Amino acid sequence: MKEGLEQTLVLIKPDALRNSLTGYVLSLLSEYHTGLVFAGVKIVHVTTMLAAEHYAEHRGKIFYASLIDYITGAIHYPTAPEKQRVVAIIYQGPEAVTKLRAIAGPTNPHQARDQKPGCIRALGTVAPLKNTEGKVVGERMDNLIHASATDEEAQREVKLWFRPSDIPPAMHAYTTRESGDHFYFKNGRLLSTHEQGSVLIAAPGDIVWESDLSALEEIRSSRPSSIPLDSIVAKYLINR
Ligand code: AMP
């Protein structure tokens, strides 16, 4: 991270949009109240691919499937796919991660109400998760916003949701590099030349996150990559 450019990723989730809490949440997160500045904002229709990469650490857990349904908007807008979206925001400034976590509050809305009345997640809810026999096997936490947990997570998440070109260059916190090659994506595979139905990820001259470009080069030459291909391409497929 470049000095003085601490960043964090915030997602205003579908339950906040559904309950018309977006304006309220944004007021609490205003530059005036937080001392942080907006570095990037976009409305994102969350694909399963993006959701799966964002919540990769929860894969296999009892609540995983409902978490994916939740963040993709399938729970709060089951019959209105055009409304299935989140507001993704990068906040930048001193202690960005800590400040946003404090305003968001504890993950579980019940605990948020007990421990920190007034925090954003105190306005959330917890829904029971049932198995096919109707037995409660876990819970889904509809907690209105996501805020990166650590600086390391913030870096991973900012690069997962945003391309360098979504952020003013002077606000880039992470290293970028100019691509010298074409990279295309089709059916889970990386291609060097265009094929019918492939999507252009990067072309010569495009500014790409350095870590993504290194990973693309590794994948292209069949070397092990530290970043899964889906994690790189998901942001290039946003809103396509
Ligand atoms: P985290 O990665 O800790 O930010 O958690 C991501 C999201 O997963 C949370 O906002 C919750 O919606 C959900 N979640 C985390 N832990 C649990 C849990 N133990 N039970 C149900 N949902 C959870």
Side-chain angles (χ1 to χ4, degrees):
M1 193 203 338
K2 293 183 188 153
E3 200 160 327
L5 297 181
E6 191 175 341
Q7 294 187 341
T8 192
L9 178 82
V10 168
L11 303 175
I12 303 184
K13 297 180 181 178
D15 50 337
L17 289 154
R18 176 88 166 88
N19 290 292
S20 203
L21 288 169
T22 320
Y24 176 67
V25 168
L26 282 170
S27 317
L28 295 186
L29 300 180
S30 72
E31 296 195 355
Y32 177 78
H33 285 109
T34 59
L36 304 172
V37 297
F38 295 96
V41 179
K42 58 182 170 183
I43 306 289
V44 177
H45 172 77
V46 183
T47 58
T48 306
M49 180 196 259
L50 179 59
E53 290 306 316
H54 181 76
Y55 285 132
E57 67 168 296
H58 295 303
R59 229 169 264 167
K61 295 185 184 166
I62 192 106
F63 59 85
Y64 178 74
S66 78
L67 186 58
I68 300 297
D69 284 348
Y70 168 37
I71 199 68
T72 55
I75 305 239
H76 294 89
Y77 291 105
T79 57
E82 74 282 3
K83 291 186 181 168
Q84 293 173 345
R85 77 235 116 101
V86 305
V87 184
I89 307 169
I90 304 170
Y91 283 95
Q92 182 172 290
E95 309 288 322
V97 167
T98 321
K99 280 182 186 166
L100 258 299
R101 292 291 279 191
I103 298 169
T107 304
N108 184 321
H110 291 328
Q111 285 170 11
R113 280 192 281 282
D114 285 348
Q115 295 165 17
K116 218 164 180 221
C119 72
I120 293 171
R121 286 167 165 174
L123 298 176
T125 189
V126 176
L129 287 179
K130 296 180 181 171
N131 65 13
T132 41
E133 285 95 53
K135 184 169 170 263
V136 175
V137 290
E139 41 192 26
R140 193 188 71 242
M141 294 175 198
D142 294 357
N143 56 8
L144 305 168
I145 73 165
H146 167 83
S148 308
T150 61
D151 285 339
E152 203 179 22
E153 277 294 282
Q155 172 160 188
R156 186 188 77 86
E157 293 172 358
V158 165
K159 289 179 184 173
L160 176 66
W161 288 76
F162 286 82
R163 317 168 183 204
S165 58
D166 296 325
I167 303 166
M171 299 182 112
H172 286 174
Y174 313 116
T175 317
T176 58
R177 181 153 60 93
E178 193 176 314
S179 175
D181 302 295
H182 286 99
F183 294 94
Y184 297 88
F185 178 77
K186 186 182 173 186
N187 296 337
R189 285 187 311 122
L190 189 66
L191 307 171
S192 301
T193 51
H194 180 261
E195 272 180 22
Q196 189 71 30
S198 65
V199 175
L200 180 64
I201 302 302
D206 285 353
I207 302 299
V208 183
W209 297 123
E210 154 68 31
S211 50
D212 281 356
L213 195 50
S214 299
L216 287 171
E217 290 164 352
E218 282 161 2
I219 294 165
R220 182 183 55 188
S221 50
S222 304
R223 281 178 283 144
S225 155
S226 48
I227 310 178
L229 182 57
D230 281 7
S231 236
I232 300 165
V233 302
K235 67 185 150 294
Y236 291 95
L237 303 180
I238 284 177
N239 299 340
R240 282 185 66 98

